[in-house]
Amino acid sequence: MASYVWDFTHGTKDQKDLLGGKGANLAEMTRLGLPVPPGFTVTTEACRAFLADGREPDGLEEEIDEHLCALEARIGRRLGDVADPLLLSVRSGAKFSMPGMMETVLDIGLNDQTVVGLATQSGDERFAADSYRRLLQMFGTTVLGIDGAAFSDRMDAAADLDADRLREVVADFKAIIRERTGSEFPQDPREQLRQAIRAVFASWNTPRAVLYRRHERIPEDLGTAVNVQVMVFGNRGPTSGSGVCFTRDPATGEPGVYGDYLQNAQGEDVVAGIRNTVSLADLADLDRASYDELLLAMSVLEHHYADMCDIEFTIEDGTLWMLQTRVGKRTPAAAVQIAADLVAEEQIDPDEALRRVTGTQLAALMFPQFAPDLTRRAVATGLNASPGAAVGRVVLDSATAVEWAERGEAVILVRKETTPEDLAGMMAARGILTARGGKTSHAAVVARGMGRTCVCGAESVTIDLPGRRLRLADGSEVAEGDVISIDGTTGEVFLGEVPVSEPALVRRLEGEVVDDRLADAALGLLDRADLVRRLEVRANADTPDDARRARRLGAGGIGLCRTEHMFLGERRGLVERLIVAEDDAEREIALARLEPLQRQDFAEILEAMDGLPVTIRLIDPPLHEFLPDLTDLAVRVALEDERHEEDEHDHELLAAVRRLHEQNPMLGLRGVRLGIVVPGLFDMQATAIAEATADRIEAGGDPRPEVMVPLVASAGELALVRTQLEQAVAAVATRRGLDLAIPIGTMIELPRAAVTADRIAGVADFFSFGTNDLTQTTWGFSRDDVEAEFFTAYRDRGILPVSPFESIDVDGVGSLVQQAVRLGRGVRPDLHLGVCGEHGGDPDSIHFFDRIGLDYVSCSPYRVPVARWEAARARL
Ligand code: ADP
Ligand code: MG
Ligand code: MG
């Protein structure tokens, strides 16, 4: 018969669904023969039934009575026995540990009579009164919901109270309960037990718990188990105490036992930090026998779980009791170190190590970090948009950033918000700080892509551009050129230089020789990941430097080489001339001057990726992004006219800006549409690519470019530009006397392209899913604007637990991708498929792309090791 109550002697660690994490592990420790105070677990099923019906399910009370009886018989003490009472703890324990859930209630079973019995029986009046005081306090706050301050205010001065004073506190606490609830504290122990269990059940649905589950993506319908356990007492004088310990260092993963111990205390005191704890090593001096026994139990547990365990224990008058264990929480560094060490110790195999450590944990090891310092104070705080630690001089515009960086200064680019025009400055800067914008703002997305540290939306920072300074909330000022430090992991901004360290792992990945145990551990597992994974990992890289770095970090090619930055900086003049050109001749002059510049860019990137594929995307953004801002320009022209200094070029430019102005540029003249509308633009790019390829071949290299056309919606568009591109390549091939086979493919980033992928596959050699735009166009919201307005509301209400720009929306966008894969491969079974949106570096998304059979993911260079890691985990 299915039962609602399980004795600790019956469960196992694998029954977390039914018994909760704490209950399952208490059962496991009991089965291992470790000293666990006896007890039983009320199952999550009982909780679910309670929450559904608002009352205890039929039979639950009887089952609890039976188990209680058996417990009393075993211990030889009864609940409510006035002479020698049994006391119980009631402990919540869901499948996943959840802060915000109900706390524990200790010492259930005490009342005005039994407290006398406990005093006589233990010979310690103070201990008995203190236990009763604890029960009233815990029961009052957690079961009756009274504000904890009502009790703790009264207790503040009571740390070393004698028995008489404690009895006064007890009387006061009972009065507080009476006043606040209108009823007496329940004197019937069985009623105390019933109410405590009910309170644990109900705590599943407290707002705190609901919010936490949403945040952590824990299902709503699991319910919590309740553990009812015989009390043991750490507060029984100097030969008693409580502690917590770890079988390895949870901060570094280094072997060796770690922990804290508090003499003459119950467990809650250890965590509460009321008194100072001593280290576990000191327990050896206080009570050698218990210490040895504990070390043995720790070793048993670690070998049994084959993982680092965290343990709560109590010593009652020289006897050790184990109260809790679980696989311990740890820092990312410890996660990697422990997994690798356990492989070396042959406790687990390498695949299990990969299963245990997430790519996100690996990523955390790769960011530069500030040395810890508790006294450091942030002068402003924004969103932790792109992790890492950056120190440099404040610069307030992109041009200054580039200029100072070129003369060797470390700079932090500080802007109200960034635009594509800031790209050069962002690349030149060590870090980026913005006053406006959320985690998917331009600054945040671009910074993450480049692996640059970024704090965005630091609203308390005001930028005084004319005065070249920042103003902080406290009224103080930071001049351009002053040094600040920003922490992209926490969102904090500091004045002056905070010491930073580049992690050894990154230096090793970059080819430096560094002796470091953690780097050894990570790289060993990364080698294993490369053997396990099926997906290729490429990088998004637009410059030769990024290409080289990507290659060192293990990229198998470039999946997205954007070409728009090749139109910025000093080349903008040429682009402006191209746009304002009045006839073919003028246009051709501008194109002819751009072509060799692009060719040089491509040649260097192809060289850096020699022998590996380089997917080059033709120009994508709307042309007006390369022109001055409409308002600025209009003002300038008006001023010039007023002063009779009319400038013909500016007038032409203004006309062009007006002509190109669009209400929705994102849905406007961009991508393949540019190739069709602006004569010669794509041909020029194709020619530059083909010439660069020819240059590389003649230099003895092995260039492998692929040309990618953005924003295609129909096969017709691609067919048209494909012919032009092929002609441009063929012309170069003939001129150079070489055989140039350059695959031509397309991005799939519009829903229409996805659903007509079979037709598009007829004219494409490959697809690369541009999941950023595909997400925008499928949901119909723009990435730059969602954050501010409704997104938070959506997240709070659980409509979108996680941003679809961070992790692929499997049901919607993912389904379109899947459909395009099926349609495309139906026409062309060998169609090569990849993804190049931000999702290419996101763990959950990588697992999805592996599942649906893509050939590769492409992500920013610094993300490459993480993608290699997650691509392996997707196979395990
Ligand atoms: P949490 O989930 O917050 O860790 P626990 O259920 O582990 O809550 O309880 C907190 C503390 O209460 C434990 O660390 C332990 O010190 C004390 N405690 C729980 N059960 C008992 C018990 N049966 N005897 C003595 N102390 C207990
Ligand atoms: Mg708790
Ligand atoms: Mg605990």
Side-chain angles (χ1 to χ4, degrees):
M1 192 196 90
S3 51
Y4 286 126
V5 183
W6 285 55
D7 193 88
F8 289 169
T9 51
H10 286 157
T12 74
K13 70 173 168 32
D14 302 318
Q15 290 175 297
K16 296 195 175 68
D17 283 327
L18 186 67
L19 304 177
K22 199 179 288 168
N25 287 325
L26 281 167
E28 190 76 11
M29 285 201 290
T30 306
R31 278 194 330 128
L32 286 172
L34 295 173
V36 178
F40 52 83
T41 304
V42 182
T43 64
T44 56
E45 209 183 320
C47 173
R48 288 191 294 270
F50 177 89
L51 292 175
D53 302 341
R55 62 174 182 84
E56 283 79 2
D58 292 341
L60 176 60
E61 292 292 293
E62 291 76 7
E63 269 192 67
I64 291 176
D65 285 335
E66 277 164 34
H67 280 267
L68 198 53
C69 258
L71 201 58
E72 289 173 335
R74 187 138 46 116
I75 299 293
R77 266 190 241 143
R78 280 184 308 105
L79 192 66
D81 183 339
V82 216
D84 185 9
L86 170 68
L87 301 190
L88 298 172
S89 76
V90 170
R91 319 171 62 187
S92 70
K95 177 176 182 184
F96 304 100
S97 95
M98 278 178 36
M101 287 286 303
M102 207 194 89
E103 308 287 329
T104 307
V105 183
L106 303 180
D107 303 316
I108 293 238
L110 284 174
N111 58 25
D112 296 349
Q113 273 83 49
T114 55
V115 71
V116 181
L118 183 66
T120 320
Q121 204 277 327
S122 64
D124 188 342
E125 300 232 341
R126 193 192 170 278
F127 157 70
D130 184 51
S131 300
Y132 196 16
R133 177 287 286 180
R134 286 171 189 266
L135 171 64
L136 291 166
Q137 188 168 359
M138 287 193 219
F139 198 93
T141 50
T142 59
V143 179
L144 302 175
I146 298 169
D147 181 7
F151 298 102
S152 54
D153 287 351
R154 174 68 183 82
M155 270 301 286
D156 259 359
D160 285 312
L161 299 184
D162 61 19
D164 284 338
R165 303 298 302 278
L166 279 166
R167 272 190 286 266
E168 287 169 21
V169 175
V170 164
D172 286 355
F173 279 13
K174 284 198 289 185
I176 291 172
I177 289 176
R178 190 182 317 118
E179 280 159 25
R180 299 286 180 116
T181 66
S183 344
E184 293 292 333
F185 170 72
Q187 291 287 314
D188 172 9
R190 184 64 183 83
E191 180 58 23
Q192 292 169 9
L193 181 61
R194 184 176 302 114
Q195 286 192 27
I197 291 174
R198 241 185 229 175
V200 174
F201 284 161
S203 72
W204 179 256
N205 281 333
T206 57
R208 283 194 299 175
V210 172
L211 203 67
Y212 181 81
R213 283 198 292 275
R214 266 191 202 146
H215 189 255
E216 296 294 310
R217 296 197 244 172
I218 296 173
E220 279 298 309
D221 53 0
L222 299 177
T224 178
V226 189
N227 302 291
V228 178
Q229 188 178 35
V230 170
M231 281 297 299
V232 291
F233 301 100
N235 54 338
R236 244 180 137 152
T239 55
S240 304
S242 293
V244 296
C245 56
F246 297 87
T247 59
R248 297 180 189 232
D249 187 339
T252 64
E254 288 302 324
V257 296
Y258 289 80
D260 301 312
Y261 180 72
L262 193 56
Q263 234 176 331
N264 191 15
Q266 279 196 336
E268 297 287 80
D269 307 339
V270 180
V271 223
I274 301 170
R275 283 184 279 148
N276 284 340
T277 55
V278 299
S279 90
L280 200 60
D282 294 336
L283 175 61
D285 301 329
L286 292 169
D287 181 349
R288 184 80 218 186
S290 297
Y291 177 79
D292 288 343
E293 202 188 338
L294 177 63
L295 252 50
L296 192 63
M298 287 169 86
S299 152
V300 166
L301 285 173
E302 179 168 292
H303 281 87
H304 185 68
Y305 285 83
D307 206 342
M308 185 262 274
C309 292
D310 107 16
I311 292 160
E312 297 177 7
F313 65 95
T314 279
I315 297 172
E316 177 177 334
D317 206 8
T319 304
L320 173 73
W321 295 99
M322 305 292 282
L323 291 180
Q324 185 175 329
T325 193
R326 65 189 156 196
V327 167
K329 293 218 161 65
R330 61 202 73 187
T331 62
V336 170
Q337 190 66 61
I338 290 171
D341 286 352
L342 289 173
V343 172
E345 293 164 20
E346 294 184 350
Q347 293 210 51
I348 59 173
D349 65 31
D351 290 349
E352 175 61 16
L354 286 173
R355 258 182 234 117
R356 287 183 184 182
V357 182
T358 65
T360 308
Q361 287 173 314
L362 179 72
L365 303 193
M366 296 181 55
F367 300 117
Q369 287 143 3
F370 286 135
D373 176 2
L374 291 175
T375 61
R376 197 162 50 224
R377 287 274 165 274
V379 292
T381 305
L383 299 169
N384 51 343
S386 179
V391 179
R393 295 185 188 284
V394 169
V395 289
L396 298 179
D397 64 63
S398 185
T400 314
V402 173
E403 195 187 311
W404 291 20
E406 269 167 9
R407 61 175 203 233
E409 299 274 11
V411 298
I412 306 281
L413 178 64
V414 185
R415 302 283 289 161
K416 190 162 164 222
E417 55 208 346
T418 62
T419 67
E421 192 44 34
D422 291 313
L423 210 63
M426 294 174 78
M427 286 201 269
R430 294 285 171 86
I432 296 130
L433 169 65
T434 68
R436 302 296 276 287
K439 280 196 189 181
T440 56
S441 63
H442 178 268
V445 172
V446 174
R448 275 199 296 276
M450 299 193 306
R452 260 336 155 274
T453 298
C454 175
V455 172
C456 66
E459 309 247 351
S460 69
V461 176
T462 320
I463 296 161
D464 171 8
L465 211 48
R468 306 304 286 183
R469 56 188 57 249
L470 311 177
R471 240 181 298 284
L472 304 173
D474 65 0
S476 65
E477 294 185 340
V478 180
E480 186 166 46
D482 288 354
V483 173
I484 62 169
S485 304
I486 62 172
D487 189 333
T489 313
T490 61
E492 291 171 303
V493 181
F494 304 100
L495 293 184
E497 177 177 347
V498 176
V500 186
S501 54
E502 176 92 81
L505 173 58
V506 173
R507 286 156 60 201
R508 280 276 286 277
L509 280 164
E510 295 261 23
E512 232 180 280
V513 182
V514 187
D515 193 22
D516 183 75
R517 229 169 83 71
L518 181 57
D520 288 341
L523 292 172
L525 292 174
L526 202 51
D527 282 345
R528 176 69 196 171
D530 287 338
L531 292 177
V532 173
R533 68 187 162 96
R534 181 191 64 78
L535 277 175
E536 275 176 65
V537 176
R538 297 191 188 177
N540 300 348
D542 309 342
T543 65
D545 266 351
D546 272 355
R548 279 187 285 271
R549 172 169 303 115
R551 191 166 193 157
R552 288 196 297 271
L553 294 172
I558 293 181
L560 174 63
C561 174
R562 300 178 187 86
T563 53
E564 34 273 20
H565 74 96
M566 300 176 183
F567 290 80
L568 291 172
E570 52 209 32
R571 301 176 189 180
R572 277 185 56 158
L574 294 174
V575 179
E576 285 177 9
R577 287 179 59 174
L578 169 70
I579 296 171
V580 300
E582 306 223 299
D583 54 36
D584 286 354
E586 274 185 36
R587 187 177 303 115
E588 268 159 31
I589 294 173
L591 285 169
R593 293 192 44 198
L594 275 168
E595 192 267 322
L597 297 173
Q598 292 233 311
R599 172 175 168 182
Q600 186 55 31
D601 294 331
F602 292 135
E604 284 180 37
I605 292 171
L606 289 170
E607 183 177 3
M609 278 288 164
D610 197 62
L612 297 175
V614 175
T615 308
I616 299 167
R617 182 178 72 182
L618 301 182
I619 185 165
D620 184 32
L623 287 183
H624 70 79
E625 284 193 10
F626 303 98
L627 297 180
D629 176 73
L630 176 58
T631 321
D632 291 351
L633 188 59
V635 170
R636 189 164 89 207
V637 169
L639 284 176
E640 284 165 357
D641 289 356
E642 210 165 284
R643 293 193 213 110
H644 303 290
E645 294 167 1
E646 274 143 67
D647 180 322
E648 197 190 334
H649 176 72
D650 281 354
H651 272 274
E652 281 171 11
L653 208 53
L654 183 59
V657 173
R658 290 222 165 96
R659 177 160 47 82
L660 290 171
H661 179 76
E662 292 172 318
Q663 291 301 335
N664 287 307
M666 191 194 79
L667 303 176
L669 179 57
R670 49 173 289 218
V672 68
R673 300 163 199 170
L674 282 173
I676 291 171
V677 170
V678 183
L681 182 57
F682 274 16
D683 309 57
M684 179 276 286
Q685 290 203 291
T687 305
I689 294 167
E691 293 281 7
T693 308
D695 293 348
R696 287 300 308 145
I697 293 174
E698 281 172 4
D702 178 12
R704 305 212 177 161
E706 302 175 349
V707 173
M708 180 156 82
V709 182
L711 215 75
V712 163
S714 75
E717 291 168 311
L718 185 61
L720 190 73
V721 297
R722 185 181 178 105
T723 313
Q724 291 172 28
L725 297 170
E726 279 172 344
Q727 281 168 0
V729 172
V732 175
T734 314
R735 191 159 59 242
R736 307 282 296 254
L738 289 167
D739 185 18
L740 297 178
I742 302 182
I744 298 172
T746 182
M747 310 229 356
I748 301 287
E749 52 186 337
L750 293 172
R752 194 182 189 286
V755 299
T756 59
D758 46 350
R759 301 194 196 182
I760 295 176
V763 281
D765 299 322
F766 63 87
F767 287 171
S768 174
F769 291 95
T771 50
N772 296 345
D773 264 314
L774 191 58
T775 301
Q776 302 201 86
T777 51
T778 300
W779 280 92
F781 47 54
S782 118
R783 178 167 71 177
D784 297 326
D785 301 326
V786 285
E787 188 93 9
E789 292 303 322
F790 59 91
F791 213 67
T792 330
Y794 270 43
R795 206 181 327 229
D796 290 350
R797 287 174 209 186
I799 302 171
L800 276 175
V802 59
S803 162
F805 293 106
E806 271 167 40
S807 194
I808 189 120
D809 152 39
V810 170
D811 296 341
V813 179
S815 151
L816 279 173
V817 173
Q818 236 173 325
Q819 187 176 351
V821 169
R822 202 184 61 240
L823 290 173
R825 286 241 171 93
V827 171
R828 226 185 233 235
D830 62 342
L831 190 68
H832 205 241
L833 301 171
V835 63
C836 63
E838 278 235 323
H839 300 97
D842 167 66
D844 288 342
S845 311
I846 291 171
H847 288 236
F848 173 73
F849 298 136
D850 181 68
R851 216 158 51 234
I852 64 171
L854 298 194
D855 296 298
Y856 69 88
V857 293
S858 188
C859 56
S860 65
Y862 279 109
R863 211 64 203 170
V864 165
V866 177
R868 288 158 63 194
W869 190 276
E870 283 297 342
R873 281 164 49 83
R875 297 266 102 198
L876 294 170

